[in-house]
């Protein structure tokens, strides 16, 4: 299926947003606003969003899926600054980043007219843009959660045809790394030891990047862990992290009602014990995870 000229041009504009990304620092503000507007378009046929709704929903998305920066999540940054990428317009003029102007009187934001028109004409375009953005910003453990949160169907989006660049990247990633990581960790979860198999092959055990692949994390043995599906997800969501390359920490943001759920607290301070010869995570990748993913504070830092 070949995208029309207008579609590929829109795909290009919406997925090459100006980022002030440096040194692998995560900055998902603009992509998350575009995803939210795509969800709105999929549900209502228009990307038009009231600022009051964006303030609440994008604020929540940034808190939940953004990097663990201190302070407010600042949804007003992308809501005003996405205009400079020539893909976004506001119903009245507002200075960049001005929360007070946005709150003064009602204002809506939406894609510029030619993008709205292209989305209307090509029913597959929403899924293509959403897929490119979500795969660029998040690991596959989290991508479906982000899509659901913005009102898009993860099954539909993630099964859509990606761009050639993405497909190539996927091929490149499909290397021996996963196999090597599972072997290195004896096909068991580095955190809990789960080592289930079905028909002789590991099941529910995955190779996890410590520094995310899409943020400069290499396919190396010291940037990976074998983790069970649950702990992989909790690690990528920043619920689990490392105090040092051998010691697990649990985020204070985690809570659970059942005994089963509360059992996660037992991992706090636990030292991982790989079999002899297994390469431990490199401190630089652990540091990246601590700065960009882990939801501080850890349990031990909690004020008593
Ligand atoms: Zn586990």
């Amino acid at each position: 299926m070949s995208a029309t000229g207008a579609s590929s041009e829109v795909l290009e504009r919406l997925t090459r947003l100006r980022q002030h990304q440096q040194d692998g620092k995560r900055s998902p503000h603009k992509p998350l606003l575009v995803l939210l507007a795509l969800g709105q378009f999929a549900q209502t046929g228009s990307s038009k969003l009231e600022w009051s709704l964006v303030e609440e929903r994008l604020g929540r998305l940034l808190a939940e899926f953004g990097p663990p920066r201190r302070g407010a999540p600042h949804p007003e940054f992308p809501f005003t600054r996405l205009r400079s990428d020539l893909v976004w317009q506001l119903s009245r003029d507002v200075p960049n980043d001005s929360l007070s102007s946005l709150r003064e009187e009602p204002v809506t934001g939406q894609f510029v007219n030619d993008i709205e028109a292209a989305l209307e004409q090509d029913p597959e375009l929403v899924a293509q843009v959403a897929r490119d953005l979500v795969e660029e910003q998040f690991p596959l453990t989290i991508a479906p959660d982000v899509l659901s949160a913005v009102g898009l169907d993860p099954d539909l989006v993630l099964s859509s045809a990606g761009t050639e660049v993405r497909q190539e990247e996927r091929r490149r990633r499909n290397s021996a790394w996963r196999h090597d990581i599972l072997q290195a960790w004896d096909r068991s979860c580095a955190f809990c030891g789960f080592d289930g198999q079905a028909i002789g092959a590991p099941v529910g055990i995955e190779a996890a990047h410590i520094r995310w692949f899409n943020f400069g994390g290499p396919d190396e043995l010291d940037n990976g862990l074998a983790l069970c599906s649950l702990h992989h997800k909790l690690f990528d969501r920043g619920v689990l992290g490392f105090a040092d390359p051998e010691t697990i920490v649990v985020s204070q943001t985690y809570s659970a009602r059942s005994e089963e759920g509360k059992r996660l607290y037992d991992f706090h301070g636990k030292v991982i014990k790989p079999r002899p010869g297994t390469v431990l995570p490199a401190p630089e990748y652990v540091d990246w995870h601590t700065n960009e993913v882990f939801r501080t504070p850890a349990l031990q830092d909690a004020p008593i």
Side-chain angles (χ1 to χ4, degrees), residues 189-210:
C189 176
F191 290 173
C192 72
F194 176 84
D195 65 351
Q197 301 203 357
I199 324 175
V203 63
I205 304 163
E206 300 158 359
H209 283 96
I210 297 165

Side-chain angles (χ1 to χ4, degrees), residues 67-271:
R69 310 262 184 261
R70 296 201 183 279
H74 296 301
E76 69 276 17
F77 289 1
F79 193 75
T80 53
R81 287 178 178 263
L82 194 56
R83 287 177 298 185
S84 66
D85 295 274
L86 310 179
V87 300
W88 188 248
Q89 56 186 339
L90 299 182
S91 58
R92 61 180 171 83
D93 199 25
V94 175
N96 275 351
D97 307 340
S98 174
L99 196 52
S100 55
S101 306
L102 287 167
R103 284 173 172 167
E104 230 162 54
E105 50 182 299
V107 54
T108 59
Q110 68 184 111
F111 292 133
V112 292
N113 298 345
D114 64 319
I115 290 184
E116 289 269 345
L119 292 173
E120 271 166 34
Q121 278 162 18
D122 183 351
E124 306 208 359
L125 191 53
V126 167
Q128 282 178 7
V129 176
R131 174 173 165 163
D132 271 19
L133 282 175
V134 85
E135 289 193 347
E136 183 188 72
Q137 295 291 325
F138 303 97
L140 287 174
T141 44
I142 301 180
D145 298 354
V146 175
L147 292 167
S148 298
V150 299
L152 290 167
D153 180 340
D155 291 338
L156 219 83
V157 170
L158 295 174
S159 67
S160 79
T163 58
E164 277 171 35
V165 176
R166 292 263 175 269
Q167 283 166 351
E168 215 164 89
E169 186 174 306
R170 195 166 295 114
R171 269 195 295 278
R172 209 177 62 226
R173 291 185 59 172
N174 193 12
S175 62
W177 181 77
R178 277 160 211 287
H179 175 261
D180 293 347
I181 288 289
L182 291 198
Q183 284 302 113
W185 291 88
D186 204 14
R187 289 172 290 173
S188 53
C189 176
F191 290 173
C192 72
F194 176 84
D195 65 351
Q197 301 203 357
I199 324 175
V203 63
I205 304 163
E206 300 158 359
H209 283 96
I210 297 165
R211 178 166 176 158
W212 295 353
F213 183 84
N214 35 3
F215 286 85
D219 281 350
E220 300 288 346
L221 286 176
D222 62 359
N223 188 37
L225 289 169
L227 293 177
C228 69
S229 305
L230 175 63
H231 292 137
H232 188 181
K233 184 139 190 162
L234 293 172
F235 185 64
D236 282 352
R237 285 290 292 266
V239 169
L240 293 171
F242 283 109
D244 59 59
E246 290 174 84
T247 313
I248 306 167
V249 286
V250 177
S251 168
Q252 203 189 117
T253 60
Y254 177 77
S255 64
R257 289 170 301 156
S258 69
E259 286 308 309
E260 194 57 44
K262 286 176 185 162
R263 204 168 291 170
L264 196 79
Y265 295 130
D266 297 343
F267 285 101
H268 189 68
K270 184 179 169 180
V271 174

